[in-house]
Amino acid sequence: MSVSRRRVRAIFRKELREYRRNRTIVTGMAILPVLFLIQPLVAVLSLGASASGGLAHEHELLYLLAIPALVSGTLASYSVVGERQQGTLEPVLGTPIRREEFLLGKALASFVPSVAISYAVYAFFLALVEIFARPGVASALLRGSDLLAQLVFTPLLAGWSIWVGIAISTRSSEIRVAQQLGVLANLPSVVVTSLIAFNVIHATLVVALGGAVVLLVLNRLGWRITSAMFDRERLITGTR
Amino acid sequence: MIYLIRWLIGKLRRRATSPAEPLGAVPGRDEPAVHARGERFVTRRKAAASDANRDAPALSALGLGKRFGDRVAFDDVSFEIGHGEVFGFLGPNGAGKTTTVRTLGTLIAPTSGSATVAGIPLTPDNGVEIRRRISIMPESPGLYLRLSVAENLGCFADLYEAADPGDRVDRALRAVNLADRASDACGSLSKGLRQRVALARALLSDPQVLFLDEPTSGLDPVATRDVHELIAELRRSGVTIFLTTHRLEEAERLCDRVAILNTTLRTIGRPAELRDRLFAKTLTVRTLIPLPEPGRVFADLPAVDGWRQDGARDYVVAVSDPSLAAPAVTRALVQAGADVLSIGESHHSLEDVYLELVNEDEEARRR
C-alpha cells in the first residue's frame, strides 16, 4: 500500500485552516497551556534563593508535559466526529483517499500545532524563569537532562494522545463526548509526568529510556489499532 | 508517532532529491475535463474508455442487496447502465436509494449480489480504484463551512490528485456559474449555492460515473434549469449519470431510463415504456350532452378494446393503437349524432407510474 503524500497534505492543510477559523478550537488550544503554565510559574517565581538545593531533586519542567498530552488529545478527539457531525465525512470518504492517508492527515494536523504550542510554552516558561526567578533557582531548574527529556517526550506523548483521541473520535457520535473521553483517556499520561515532576517517581536514565520505549510501542500500537477501528461504513451510516 | 517521523523524513528526502511532485500518477488519467458551460467535457481518457469498453456497461448490479442486521435496506437489485446514459433512480423515502448509491460508491459493503462500477468489480480491494473513476454528490452538500469555496474545492482537487488543481477548480466553478463566489466562505452561501458548490466538487475528478443524489433539492427554478443543462452537457460528453430524485418531472425530462425502487426494484425502463407497461392506451372523449347509448357507439368498433364513462359527458375508451382508433371513434360518434367537444389520447406521466407502483406496494403491505 502506498500513501499519497498529496492527499495527506490536503487533509492536513484543510484541518489547519479550519482550526484557525474555529474560535472554540483556538480558545481550547490557548487555555490548556496557560492553565498548565500558571502553577509551575507561580511556584518557581515565589521560591527564594535558598530553595535551589531542594529543586535539585524535582523536575518542575516535566510538569509541562501535560500540555502536549492534553492539547493534542483534545484536537484529535474532535477530528473525525467533528467531520461526521458537519456532514463532511461522506464527501471526503467518497474520494480515493485511503483510511491511512486520512488518519495520517488528521494526526499530523493535531501533532504539529500541539507540539509547536508545547515548545513555545516551554520557551516562554524558560525565558520567564531565566529573567524573573532567583539566580540559584533558575540554574537549579534549567537542567540539560530535563530539557532533553522535554524535547524527546513532547512528540512521543503528543503522538500517543493523538492516536487515543482519534480512536475515540472514530467511535463517538458527539463532539463533546469525544473530547471529554479524550481528556479522560490522556489523564494517565498527565498523572505519570506529574509524579515524575514532583519526584514521586524517581527520574533516572533507565526510567527515561523505558518510558520512551513504552511510548514508541504505544504509538505504533495506537496507529495500528486506530487504523483497524476506522470503519467507513460505520462512520457513514452510524450502524454495524 | 514513528509513522509521522517517517513521513516527515520522507518528505524532507523527497524535497532534497526531486522538487517535482511525483504524485497523482493515476493510470490512464489524462488532462482535466471540467469545462465551462458550453465547452465540451470530452477527454482522451473517456474516449479511450468508450472505445475499449463500448459494449461493457458503465455500471451494473446483479442481485445486489444490503442489510443492516435484520433491516433490509435494499434487496435483489439488478440493472445495467450504458456509457453516457442518464439513469434515474426513484423511490419513496426509505426505499434504499441512498444506500444503493453509497454501496455502488464503495462507502458501504453490500451483503449480497455483485456489481461493477466504471468497469471495475465492486470488491473491498477495488475501492480506491473505483472511487478514482466516480464521483458522488450526496444529498447534503457536506462543505467545510469555515473554508472558502475555492479552498473547499482545492482540498478535493488534491484528494483526487488532479493535475493543475487551480485550473480545475476554476473550470468547475465556471461550470456551475460560481466563479465570482470563489473566495466567499461556504457558510455564507445560501442552500442553493452550497448545492452548486457540491456539484462543482463532484465535477473535479472528471468522473466516468457521476452519482447525483437529489442534485436540485433546494434550488430555485433558474438554478434548477442550470443544473439540468449541466447534466445534459455531461451526458453529451459521455459521462454516465446515476440520478436519484424525488422530482419526477425532472427524471422524465433528463433520464434515458428510470428505475423505481421500493426496497426491491419495482420496475425499470424508459419512461414511455413504463407508461405503456402499466397503463392501457386510452382515448378521452367529451361530448356536449351525454350519449344516450354509449355502448352502441363504442362496443362494436374493432379498434376499441373497452370503454367506461367518466363523469356525465366524458368517456374513456381503451384502444390498442390510438392513431388508428381515434378516426374510427370520431366517425362513430358523428354517425350517432353526438356533438363532440374533444377527443384525444390520454397521457400518463411518470408520476402516474410511480404512484401506481408505490400505492400497490402500500396496499400489499396493508393486506
Side-chain angles (χ1 to χ4, degrees):
Chain A
M1 184 215 58
S2 60
V3 169
S4 160
R5 294 185 181 108
R6 190 170 165 192
R7 285 199 278 262
V8 173
R9 201 170 52 213
I11 295 293
F12 173 68
R13 274 190 194 157
K14 187 273 297 172
E15 289 284 298
L16 290 191
R17 281 185 177 136
E18 284 221 296
Y19 292 165
R20 277 208 312 268
R21 291 166 203 175
N22 189 337
R23 201 172 293 168
T24 316
I25 288 181
V26 172
T27 312
M29 279 201 277
I31 285 177
L32 275 173
V34 169
L35 285 177
F36 277 86
L37 185 65
I38 289 170
Q39 191 278 333
L41 205 56
V42 169
V44 169
L45 295 183
S46 59
L47 285 174
S50 57
S52 56
L55 277 178
H57 303 294
E58 289 191 14
H59 308 274
E60 197 79 28
L61 196 57
L62 296 185
Y63 180 70
L64 296 176
L65 280 174
I67 296 170
L70 292 178
V71 171
S72 57
T74 310
L75 283 178
S77 55
Y78 171 83
S79 59
V80 179
V81 70
E83 290 238 17
R84 198 172 161 194
Q85 285 207 340
Q86 282 186 76
T88 50
L89 200 56
E90 186 170 352
V92 172
L93 296 182
T95 69
I97 196 165
R98 296 173 196 275
R99 65 179 169 188
E100 291 83 1
E101 294 161 350
F102 181 79
L103 291 174
L104 271 178
K106 291 281 183 186
L108 268 176
S110 300
F111 182 81
V112 172
S114 49
V115 169
I117 286 170
S118 303
Y119 284 151
V121 171
Y122 303 157
F124 184 61
F125 176 78
L126 294 176
L128 289 180
V129 168
E130 193 65 44
I131 296 166
F132 297 110
R134 312 241 176 219
V137 172
S139 57
L141 198 75
L142 307 180
R143 287 190 297 264
S145 56
D146 279 11
L147 288 173
L148 184 65
Q150 200 78 5
L151 287 176
V152 170
F153 279 95
T154 293
L156 287 173
L157 273 170
W160 164 241
S161 302
I162 286 167
W163 294 128
V164 171
I166 293 179
I168 289 169
S169 198
T170 58
R171 293 285 160 156
S172 301
S173 50
E174 270 194 47
I175 294 171
R176 201 176 301 168
V177 172
Q179 288 189 323
Q180 285 168 354
L181 286 175
V183 170
L184 206 63
N186 285 310
L187 279 182
S189 309
V190 177
V191 168
V192 170
T193 52
S194 301
L195 290 176
I196 293 172
F198 299 123
N199 211 25
V200 177
I201 297 174
H202 295 291
T204 60
L205 184 63
V206 176
V207 169
L209 287 174
V213 170
V214 166
L215 278 171
L216 276 172
V217 171
L218 286 177
N219 269 292
R220 199 183 174 89
L221 273 176
W223 157 249
R224 298 244 163 162
I225 292 169
T226 309
S227 293
M229 283 170 74
F230 188 86
D231 180 349
R232 269 171 209 264
E233 181 165 334
R234 192 179 183 283
L235 288 167
I236 297 288
T237 62
T239 56
R240 214 183 189 191
Chain B
M1 194 41 221
I2 285 173
Y3 284 87
L4 290 173
I5 292 166
R6 272 191 199 158
W7 186 87
L8 286 167
I9 291 168
K11 189 177 170 61
L12 290 170
R13 275 193 191 144
R14 194 168 56 83
R15 280 268 163 89
T17 53
S18 164
E21 181 65 81
L23 302 163
V26 179
R29 177 156 289 227
D30 286 328
E31 291 303 305
V34 179
H35 297 251
R37 191 185 296 115
E39 294 174 43
R40 297 286 294 166
F41 280 70
V42 176
T43 63
R44 278 180 283 147
R45 180 175 58 75
K46 271 201 203 97
S50 58
D51 286 345
N53 307 312
R54 195 164 284 159
D55 298 330
L59 198 60
S60 71
L62 186 64
L64 200 66
K66 176 68 187 175
R67 283 171 176 273
F68 296 103
D70 293 337
R71 187 172 70 81
V72 180
F74 66 91
D75 191 32
D76 197 22
V77 169
S78 302
F79 55 75
E80 281 194 355
I81 304 173
H83 292 276
E85 186 176 350
V86 180
F87 187 78
F89 208 53
L90 316 175
N93 293 329
K97 303 187 297 296
T98 298
T99 308
T100 307
V101 168
R102 286 172 171 171
T103 304
L104 293 170
T106 76
L107 290 170
I108 59 178
T111 42
S112 59
S114 61
T116 60
V117 183
I120 300 174
L122 183 69
T123 63
D125 293 340
N126 290 337
V128 171
E129 198 50 48
I130 288 174
R131 291 196 299 276
R132 276 195 180 119
R133 297 169 186 226
I134 66 168
S135 195
I136 305 172
M137 179 189 161
E139 191 175 353
S140 161
L143 302 170
Y144 297 109
L145 300 180
R146 291 186 182 88
L147 268 53
S148 72
V149 171
E151 285 170 343
N152 263 278
L153 297 190
C155 173
F156 278 82
D158 283 337
L159 292 177
Y160 281 109
E161 298 189 311
D164 196 357
D167 183 52
R168 183 77 68 100
V169 168
D170 288 345
R171 285 189 283 172
L173 284 174
R174 284 204 302 273
V176 296
N177 274 345
L178 275 180
D180 57 335
R181 307 297 294 266
S183 54
D184 289 8
C186 283
S188 69
L189 302 179
S190 67
K191 188 184 175 193
L193 291 182
R194 288 181 194 178
Q195 199 80 353
R196 280 156 72 179
V197 177
L199 190 54
R201 183 183 60 200
L203 299 177
L204 284 170
S205 65
D206 178 24
Q208 287 178 28
V209 180
L210 178 58
F211 293 91
L212 299 175
D213 199 354
E214 303 282 347
T216 55
S217 166
L219 297 189
D220 62 45
V222 175
T224 300
R225 187 199 59 199
D226 288 350
V227 170
H228 288 175
E229 283 175 8
L230 190 61
I231 290 172
E233 183 66 30
L234 288 165
R235 174 205 200 173
R236 277 195 289 278
S237 65
V239 178
T240 304
I241 296 173
F242 191 94
L243 173 76
T244 72
T245 181
H246 282 299
R247 294 188 175 184
L248 297 168
E249 80 288 352
E250 179 174 87
E252 187 147 29
R253 186 173 154 193
L254 293 174
C255 300
D256 300 304
R257 287 187 305 146
V258 296
I260 296 176
L261 182 78
N262 202 0
T263 307
T264 55
L265 209 56
R266 294 290 283 108
T267 190
I268 183 168
R270 295 180 183 281
E273 283 172 10
L274 299 186
R275 282 193 293 266
D276 292 349
R277 211 181 293 165
L278 218 61
F279 298 105
K281 288 177 180 149
T282 55
L283 296 173
T284 306
V285 175
R286 170 166 279 192
T287 55
L288 187 62
I289 52 167
L291 296 172
E293 290 180 279
R296 289 189 60 184
V297 179
F298 299 124
D300 296 336
L301 293 173
V304 171
D305 298 332
W307 68 278
R308 64 182 167 84
Q309 195 156 356
D310 186 20
R313 300 175 293 138
D314 294 321
Y315 305 89
V316 179
V317 184
V319 298
S320 44
D321 186 344
S323 59
L324 286 176
V329 170
T330 311
R331 276 195 299 273
L333 285 164
V334 171
Q335 278 170 12
D339 296 323
V340 181
L341 288 180
S342 66
I343 180 165
E345 188 180 349
S346 310
H347 287 282
H348 293 281
S349 64
L350 186 58
E351 190 172 346
D352 296 326
V353 174
Y354 176 89
L355 291 174
E356 181 79 12
L357 289 171
V358 172
N359 288 342
E360 262 179 29
D361 285 349
E362 275 185 15
E363 277 170 27
R365 220 168 279 149
R366 276 200 290 270
R367 279 198 296 270

